[in-house]
Amino acid sequence: LSIQITQRKHLYTFAWFSLGVAVASVLLIYTNELHYFMRLGYEVLESDTFGNVLVVKSTLLGLILVSYNFMLPIIAIISLSIHHQRVSTISKSLILIFIIAFAWTVLSVFLKVSLLSGIGLHVSISVLYIPTVILIFYGLFRYNFFTIAPIAREKIFDISTQGVIVSDELGAVVDYNSYAYDLFSHLEHPLELRKATLIDILGRVEILEIKYLDNAEIHRDVRIFNKGEEMFFLMKSYPIASKKKGLMGHICIFTNQTLQKLQADDLVYRATYDYLSKVLNRISFEKEYEKNSRPNRAIACMVIDIDNFKKINDQYGHRFGDEVIIRLAKLLQVELLPSNIVGRIGGEEFGIVL
């Protein structure tokens, strides 16, 4: 229950292990052939309040396993207390009820061992657990824990087409969704998010541009090579803070902008180069000419015109004429130096700056 509320998915292995310990303890206790591993014997004592009470004498293994199971509520209390500072007011009330319920579990064991048994009042531990059960069910139904809202929030988190990574105040990753997992597990050098930090994540991306906003948000344009494919993302980092404790962590959201980036690059290319000859168009050529036309600097400029180009189009067709333009442009690019500037400034005219 604590792991489900705090969404600490990396603790699920520990939860399954703890469940296995609990099941093993029950099997050892209630299996006739094996119960001696857990119990040395039994004693029936009289209680003024509850009548005859069965008192069990445990073995060392029994004490260890029972103690381990009693440690779980303490771990749950610590985990919930940390998570309590990071959630909304409604969620705080629900978590507080669970903290009280688990705290009563620990307190009841303490009362039974150190106080009640000492005064001869033998109470079954099951009776002492009744308030815990009542509080848990009250919290579950009072705050609609089983309704669609919490399930929907978790579903949105998992199916989001944005990568979401949550870190603590030290930068260690505490949660992430499926998109983020797929994104970083298919890199050239895969990253295991559940053991990673924000520094590890930043080390796996190429930062192209970074912006610091007034509300402490950080926007980074980053490039990632995923499965050998170049991808571009907007990485937004939002601080998680409270008035009492200050900075408590960050939420990083990766938005795929590969398509927008490719479209923007395509528009820039179309606005700069001639679509047919692949050299600079007239506007771009004139800008480059003006940029190089500085005082006290000599440059050479020439214009090349294809002779009888209209006859070529009329006799062989415009497609053949286009091929002539393409081949001339390639010839100029091959023969001229990389520092020279070539542009198509008219139908069959090319400009060159040397």
Side-chain angles (χ1 to χ4, degrees):
L1 182 61
S2 172
I3 295 173
Q4 182 68 22
I5 293 173
T6 60
Q7 287 296 300
R8 297 179 183 272
K9 296 181 179 179
H10 58 283
L11 293 178
Y12 276 123
T13 302
F14 173 72
W16 283 110
F17 174 76
S18 300
L19 178 61
V21 172
V23 172
S25 301
V26 172
L27 290 176
L28 289 174
I29 292 172
Y30 292 102
T31 303
N32 290 334
E33 294 80 5
L34 301 175
H35 75 276
Y36 61 87
F37 283 108
M38 297 287 289
R39 301 288 185 250
L40 288 173
Y42 305 90
E43 185 178 1
V44 179
L45 300 176
E46 292 185 1
S47 172
D48 296 334
T49 306
F50 298 97
N52 292 334
V53 177
L54 183 65
V55 177
V56 179
K57 296 180 180 180
S58 299
T59 63
L60 178 60
L61 176 62
L63 290 173
I64 293 174
L65 293 178
V66 171
S67 299
Y68 178 84
N69 287 319
F70 283 137
M71 284 293 295
L72 297 180
I74 298 176
I75 297 173
I77 291 171
I78 295 173
S79 178
L80 289 171
S81 298
I82 295 173
H83 189 67
H84 180 265
Q85 306 296 325
R86 307 178 179 180
V87 295
S88 63
T89 303
I90 295 178
S91 297
K92 283 180 183 293
S93 301
L94 171 62
I95 292 173
L96 183 59
I97 289 175
F98 289 150
I99 290 175
I100 295 173
F102 292 134
W104 175 256
T105 301
V106 178
L107 181 61
S108 62
V109 175
F110 175 78
L111 288 174
K112 176 178 174 60
V113 174
S114 63
L115 184 61
L116 298 181
S117 298
I119 62 176
L121 185 60
H122 301 284
V123 183
S124 173
I125 193 67
S126 302
V127 175
L128 295 176
Y129 278 180
I130 291 176
T132 298
V133 175
I134 293 174
L135 282 172
I136 290 176
F137 276 96
Y138 170 78
L140 293 175
F141 290 100
R142 170 65 177 82
Y143 293 97
N144 299 320
F145 187 79
F146 291 120
T147 59
I148 194 172
I151 301 173
R153 281 194 292 268
E154 184 176 349
K155 187 67 175 179
I156 291 172
F157 182 78
D158 284 335
I159 68 172
S160 174
T161 54
Q162 294 176 305
V164 182
I165 298 176
V166 183
S167 71
D168 61 17
E169 65 276 11
L170 299 178
V173 174
V174 297
D175 200 5
Y176 50 87
N177 67 352
S178 300
Y179 189 98
Y181 173 81
D182 291 338
L183 176 63
F184 285 95
S185 62
H186 293 98
L187 302 180
E188 183 179 355
H189 302 288
L191 181 64
E192 192 173 357
L193 285 179
R194 67 186 183 91
K195 298 180 180 179
T197 66
L198 289 183
I199 295 177
D200 297 328
I201 293 172
L202 291 174
R204 293 294 200 280
V205 303
E206 179 185 350
I207 300 177
L208 305 177
E209 185 179 355
I210 185 168
K211 298 177 183 178
Y212 297 91
L213 305 185
D214 295 337
N215 56 357
E217 295 178 18
I218 302 176
H219 291 189
R220 299 178 177 90
D221 290 316
V222 301
R223 175 164 54 188
I224 298 174
F225 287 91
N226 183 278
K227 299 179 181 178
E229 179 184 355
E230 184 182 34
M231 303 179 72
F232 297 89
F233 287 84
L234 174 60
M235 176 184 173
K236 294 183 179 180
S237 179
Y238 300 91
I240 306 172
S242 68
K243 294 181 180 179
K244 294 182 179 180
K245 294 191 175 183
L247 182 65
M248 301 177 64
H250 288 87
I251 296 178
C252 295
I253 300 177
F254 289 80
T255 303
N256 192 337
Q257 294 191 316
T258 304
L259 181 60
Q260 295 91 319
K261 171 71 174 174
L262 293 177
Q263 289 175 339
D265 290 346
D266 183 62
L267 289 175
V268 171
Y269 183 86
R270 289 172 180 267
T272 305
Y273 293 90
D274 175 60
Y275 75 95
L276 181 62
S277 62
K278 310 304 181 191
V279 298
L280 294 176
N281 57 29
R282 178 167 183 163
I283 295 176
S284 299
F285 178 81
E286 290 177 350
K287 288 181 179 179
E288 291 295 325
Y289 174 78
E290 292 174 359
K291 187 188 301 182
N292 287 272
S293 299
R294 301 171 185 172
N296 302 321
R297 181 184 178 186
I299 62 171
C301 182
M302 65 176 68
V303 176
I304 297 177
D305 180 85
I306 300 175
D307 294 338
N308 302 315
F309 186 70
K310 186 176 184 304
K311 290 183 179 180
I312 295 175
N313 279 333
D314 292 342
Q315 185 172 353
Y316 299 101
H318 288 279
R319 182 172 295 181
F320 191 87
D322 290 345
E323 186 64 26
V324 172
I325 290 175
I326 293 171
R327 293 199 178 192
L328 177 58
K330 289 181 178 179
L331 179 63
L332 293 174
Q333 289 175 310
V334 170
E335 296 298 332
L336 295 174
L337 297 174
S339 58
N340 299 148
I341 302 169
V342 182
R344 184 184 177 193
I345 58 177
E348 70 276 16
E349 296 178 346
F350 288 84
I352 302 173
V353 176
L354 303 175

